[in-house]
């Protein structure tokens, strides 16, 4: 039994080293900036909260207006 566990561990380590997986492609987020009523901007305005790069191009952040 110990031999099987060792071989499984070696196989998993080998797959982890050899597979170059893009994490964004491996777990796609099904929503984007528009789902939060946000706007993609390079820099958020002072009245907006930065929400992250969800659904925005590289170098842009999803800016959401906070309402209290």
């Amino acid at each position: 039994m110990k031999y099987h566990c060792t071989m499984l561990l070696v196989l998993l380590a080998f797959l982890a080293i050899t597979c170059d997986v893009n994490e964004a492609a491996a777990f796609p987020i099904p929503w984007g900036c528009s789902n939060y009523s946000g706007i993609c901007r390079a820099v958020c305005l002072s009245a907006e909260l930065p929400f992250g790069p969800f659904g925005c191009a590289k170098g842009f952040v999803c800016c959401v207006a906070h309402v209290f």
Side-chain angles (χ1 to χ4, degrees), residues 2-28:
K2 192 172 188 177
Y3 172 76
H4 295 295
C5 292
T6 305
M7 290 306 294
L8 180 62
L9 182 62
V10 169
L11 177 65
L12 290 175
F14 177 75
L15 288 174
I17 292 170
T18 59
C19 294
D20 184 23
V21 177
N22 183 358
E23 291 181 12
F27 184 70

Side-chain angles (χ1 to χ4, degrees), residues 40-43 52-62:
C40 293
R41 300 183 194 266
V43 178
F54 303 115
C56 297
K58 186 176 179 180
F60 289 88
V61 178
C62 181

Side-chain angles (χ1 to χ4, degrees), residues 48-67:
E48 296 174 332
L49 295 173
F51 197 66
F54 303 115
C56 297
K58 186 176 179 180
F60 289 88
V61 178
C62 181
C63 300
V64 180
H66 58 81
V67 179

